[in-house]
Amino acid sequence: MSDSGNDIKIETSWRKALHDEFGKDYFKKLREFVREEYSHVIVYPPPKYIFHAFDLCPFDKVEVVILGQDPYHGPGQANGLSFAVKDGMTLPPSLRNIFKELESDLGETLQNRSGDLERWAKQGVLLLNATLTVRARSAGSHQGKGWEEFTDAVIRTLSEKREHLVFILWGNYAKSKEPLIDWEKHCIIKSAHPSPFSADHGFFGSKPFSKANEYLIAHGKEPIQWL
């Protein structure tokens, strides 16, 4: 692997912003682990989608970060964007709840009910999972292999090098990343996770979408067209 990161298939501005990470020992070990996994077992998402969130949302275009934990581990679901699934797939329970809160928050009916969420990513919403790969039907199977160190660096770099971003942290795992974010420079929106197990305990009614847009507008930025 090149220490420059030039052989990493990730969008150019991200490759530049994260240049130092690609040469670190943990990333070299992570890359070898991921290669080995793809060669021996079924892993999601497909290789071309590992850095899909970055490819759709260049570093200098990020306005909002929504942090997830793992890709979905069922066949045909994961597309490299947190909480999203490939177009045409049945919406997972958490995403159904996200859409429900979106409609309640903005007081309008969601017209585009596709779960792929690329329409958000292309507007500057970085849909970032803490772990970017997973074995089929084995939730959490690629945790603790180095992905979290890499995605922590993503959050830290955004916090340090950008200003007036919105970080949306749903659930305790996402909230644990708060120390990586400079709250004096950015907006942090926290609530319970949209999972059916916790949505009734602080996710519903949290109004993250309108709060994000209010912050962006207050800082001279375009609001996200969530609907």
Side-chain angles (χ1 to χ4, degrees), residues 114-152:
S114 170
D116 69 11
L117 302 186
E118 285 192 9
R119 59 195 182 277
W120 292 0
K122 290 176 180 178
Q123 294 182 74
V125 181
L126 181 66
L127 295 156
L128 178 67
N129 276 318
T131 303
L132 300 187
T133 55
V134 67
R135 273 194 183 194
R137 298 183 177 84
S138 183
S141 51
H142 285 188
Q143 292 176 5
K145 303 297 184 180
W147 277 131
E148 296 92 338
E149 190 168 347
F150 176 73
T151 53
D152 279 1

Side-chain angles (χ1 to χ4, degrees), residues 68-198:
Q69 189 164 1
D70 253 10
Y72 295 114
H73 54 85
Q77 289 182 299
N79 70 346
L81 307 179
S82 62
F83 296 101
V85 289
K86 288 184 179 178
D87 192 31
M89 296 295 294
T90 300
L91 299 183
S94 289
L95 186 54
R96 288 203 302 270
N97 286 338
I98 289 169
F99 284 172
K100 182 178 179 180
E101 174 60 18
L102 174 58
E103 291 182 323
S104 172
D105 182 3
L106 301 185
E108 296 183 47
T109 301
L110 181 62
Q111 300 301 319
N112 186 345
R113 304 198 71 83
S114 170
D116 69 11
L117 302 186
E118 285 192 9
R119 59 195 182 277
W120 292 0
K122 290 176 180 178
Q123 294 182 74
V125 181
L126 181 66
L127 295 156
L128 178 67
N129 276 318
T131 303
L132 300 187
T133 55
V134 67
R135 273 194 183 194
R137 298 183 177 84
S138 183
S141 51
H142 285 188
Q143 292 176 5
K145 303 297 184 180
W147 277 131
E148 296 92 338
E149 190 168 347
F150 176 73
T151 53
D152 279 1
V154 171
I155 297 168
R156 191 182 302 109
T157 302
L158 282 168
S159 177
E160 291 174 355
K161 296 185 178 181
R162 296 289 312 282
E163 290 187 347
H164 307 312
L165 304 184
V166 178
F167 291 84
I168 297 178
L169 309 180
W170 289 327
N172 290 333
Y173 181 82
K175 291 175 188 176
S176 74
K177 305 298 183 179
E178 187 175 0
L180 301 172
I181 305 163
D182 183 347
W183 60 269
E184 293 185 335
K185 289 172 58 181
H186 306 286
C187 174
I188 301 173
I189 298 173
K190 299 180 289 184
S191 78
H193 195 277
S195 160
F197 300 105
S198 55

